[in-house]
Amino acid sequence: MSFKSRVIMLAKAISVWWGIFLILGCCIGFSVNILFGLFAVSGTQKLEMKIFIPILISGSLVFSVAAYVISTFLSRLPAKKMRRKLDKTAAEKGICKDYTDILSANCRGDIKNQVCTELALSALVSGNTARAKEQLNRIDVISVLDVAQSTGNYTAAAYYYAASVLVSAAERDYDSVNAAYESGKFYINALNYDFYITAVKALALLKTGDPDEALKTAENAAALIKVQPKSKLHLFRGLAYEVLAQVFFANGMYAEAEEAVLEAMSIKLTAEFEKDMVSLGREIKENSAAEV
């Protein structure tokens, strides 16, 4: 998300809380004024409105910021807790039933669409593209886009379209790859700081006939992924390296492609994923040797 989008989203959220506290403050002030003479005990001087109004405005603003911070922290707790469990499970067992069980148990509320996207990717690295498509079809795309447009948070939208690109590419349906990329281009471009989204963008560019731009984008993704802790986001790191290997290979950069394959294999997602990486690695070596 761009800085401008973050500022707009923050301003919208705080303004809602500010309005709530202003209304509450006015109601409280009116009630107290009726009962006690605007915060004054009988026989004492009343508090002037020109004093009360600035206190009301500034006080409600402080409360609104505090309420936003607290609500944001509480709303993110379930997702953070889930991500810690997923990272631990992936590090110990790879993408397995335990991993998908954690996702399924959290497939509700505000994170339902994002969880369905990750379930689709889990099925994809297990070699089950039909199941991956089923999970993508569970996503309420209209809701995803509404959230993106109303809040300026494009993460769920970008991840949905990126997953659609990967599933279509796995089926060699390049018309659908192009359709998914064109539909989600705005959201994908907005997440140019995300290594996974940037890697998928490189693949989409490659499959839609722009290998030069795909290579530039892949090199950017490779730089971004290097600063990502290896203990986190195993599924997305594995997929990103797989995509980078394909793009580098298509551009004749065999050393970089082999390195990406080795990085992908070191993550150990699933047996099917590892077989695909072994096959890709063998193909890269054969082509590299043929050109020597």
Side-chain angles (χ1 to χ4, degrees), residues 206 210-216 218 245-254:
L206 177 67
D210 195 349
D212 293 335
E213 190 62 31
L215 179 57
K216 293 178 184 178
Q246 292 182 44
V247 177
F248 287 140
F249 180 33
N251 282 274
M253 299 176 65
Y254 301 120

Side-chain angles (χ1 to χ4, degrees), residues 258-275:
E258 284 187 40
E259 181 182 352
V261 167
L262 291 174
E263 289 286 356
M265 290 178 65
S266 70
I267 299 172
K268 300 184 184 302
L269 297 181
T270 63
E272 292 79 4
F273 181 80
E274 188 169 354
K275 287 178 183 177

